[in-house]
Amino acid sequence: MGNGTSIGRVRGLGSAHTGAHHWLLQRFTAVGNLITLVFLIVSLLTLPNMSYAAVSAWISQPIPAVMMALLVLTTFWHARIGLQVLIEDYVHDSGSRFGVMLALNLAWIGGTVFGLFCIARLALVPVATGGAA
Amino acid sequence: MGGIATHHTGQNMANRPLSPHLQIWKWGPHMLVSILHRVSGDGMAIVGLGVLLWWLGALASGPAAYETFHTVMTTPIGYLVLVGLTWAFFTHLCSGLRHFVLDTGAGYELDANRMWSIASVTGAVVLTVAFWAAIFLL
């Protein structure tokens, strides 16, 4: 991105001037989704069963807990960007768009924090519920 | 515009040919895979992340809450949702990997584009069947 020529000033930016950042984040989080979801799928396939005892024992281990926390972060981030594109394409009224974008951002932050809290609780307080952990 | 053309009314604007012309375009696999990428991605964003949070929330709440989640997800409707989500995941994964290739500037030749579009859609179905076969058979 030089500033000597017309093409140099716009290359990689586009009319919104921030599109490349958005576009790259969608790719970075896509790779994050790929890694963490493959981990989740392989884990689910190798668990002996889907009982509370088996799943909670698995997710309370350090590596599964961290991978699931990263999964929550990367999938919610990727979903937020994807849904923003959907909204920008189909919600044309600026007032409605503002409202839907507000709801999306609240849901994004709320969902991410809820997911991370649940994983932290499972990993750090494994016997708090008195279950067969 | 000046004196050449009068201002367009809404009626005239509505009569102009617009793109995309879904009714008259000949459907191809590249259109299907593009639409499926959006549908599967936004479907997972809304339904899939909801199920993910319910699963994590039920686990964190204890055995009783997890039992409720497990019971609902093993009803026929629950399985329909889970199979739908795994199909959406593998569809979005395959078409997403196709996008990574397209991002490099490769795969735009008509034959290659068509071949990888068909491969994305069918590969996702094969992976979905393989996943559930592994769940029930292994």
Side-chain angles (χ1 to χ4, degrees):
Chain A
M1 271 183 287
N3 53 14
T5 63
S6 306
I7 189 70
R9 283 194 296 275
V10 299
R11 182 169 282 150
L13 288 175
S15 58
H17 299 286
T18 54
H21 174 69
H22 184 276
W23 188 92
L24 282 170
L25 271 180
Q26 193 71 316
R27 269 72 188 167
F28 297 157
T29 54
V31 176
N33 292 351
L34 180 64
I35 296 168
T36 54
L37 277 159
V38 166
F39 178 87
L40 173 63
I41 284 177
V42 171
S43 298
L44 292 180
L45 288 174
T46 51
L47 275 176
N49 55 62
M50 289 298 289
S51 69
Y52 175 81
V55 179
S56 59
W58 165 74
I59 204 172
S60 62
Q61 297 171 280
I63 289 174
V66 170
M67 287 299 278
M68 290 305 292
L70 291 172
L71 182 147
V72 167
L73 282 173
T74 185
T75 55
F76 269 87
W77 199 348
H78 190 84
R80 195 209 79 92
I81 301 171
L83 286 172
Q84 180 184 336
V85 174
L86 184 77
I87 290 164
E88 287 167 349
D89 279 356
Y90 297 122
V91 182
H92 300 301
D93 174 70
S94 60
S96 302
R97 183 184 290 190
F98 179 85
V100 179
M101 287 297 295
L102 178 71
L104 171 64
N105 280 284
L106 290 176
W108 171 47
I109 299 291
T112 303
V113 170
F114 181 80
L116 294 178
F117 171 80
C118 290
I119 295 162
R121 182 181 161 89
L122 284 159
L124 302 177
V125 197
V127 291
T129 58
Chain B
M1 297 294 164
I4 299 168
T6 55
H7 197 73
H8 286 294
T9 64
Q11 191 74 44
N12 287 336
M13 293 295 276
N15 287 336
R16 290 184 310 153
L18 298 173
S19 178
H21 237 309
L22 292 180
Q23 297 91 339
I24 63 168
W25 279 17
K26 183 184 175 191
W27 273 76
H30 52 297
M31 293 170 70
L32 178 69
V33 75
S34 173
I35 289 166
L36 285 180
H37 190 69
R38 171 161 283 192
V39 170
S40 59
D42 290 320
M44 279 191 293
I46 294 164
V47 180
L49 291 182
V51 173
L52 174 70
L53 286 187
W54 187 9
W55 183 57
L56 292 173
L59 276 170
S61 300
Y66 185 78
E67 189 54 39
T68 303
F69 173 82
H70 192 269
T71 303
V72 171
M73 283 303 154
T74 47
T75 60
I77 292 175
Y79 273 120
L80 187 67
V81 170
L82 292 179
V83 171
L85 285 174
T86 45
W87 169 79
F89 168 70
F90 286 120
T91 296
H92 203 75
L93 172 67
C94 292
S95 51
L97 290 174
R98 174 175 170 268
H99 271 289
F100 275 138
V101 175
L102 293 175
D103 286 345
T104 69
Y108 284 95
E109 301 81 4
L110 291 179
D111 284 344
N113 198 340
R114 180 183 173 82
M115 193 268 283
W116 286 111
S117 298
I118 294 170
S120 296
V121 176
T122 53
V125 174
V126 170
L127 285 168
T128 305
V129 172
F131 175 82
W132 286 98
I135 288 280
F136 285 112
L137 301 180
L138 291 184

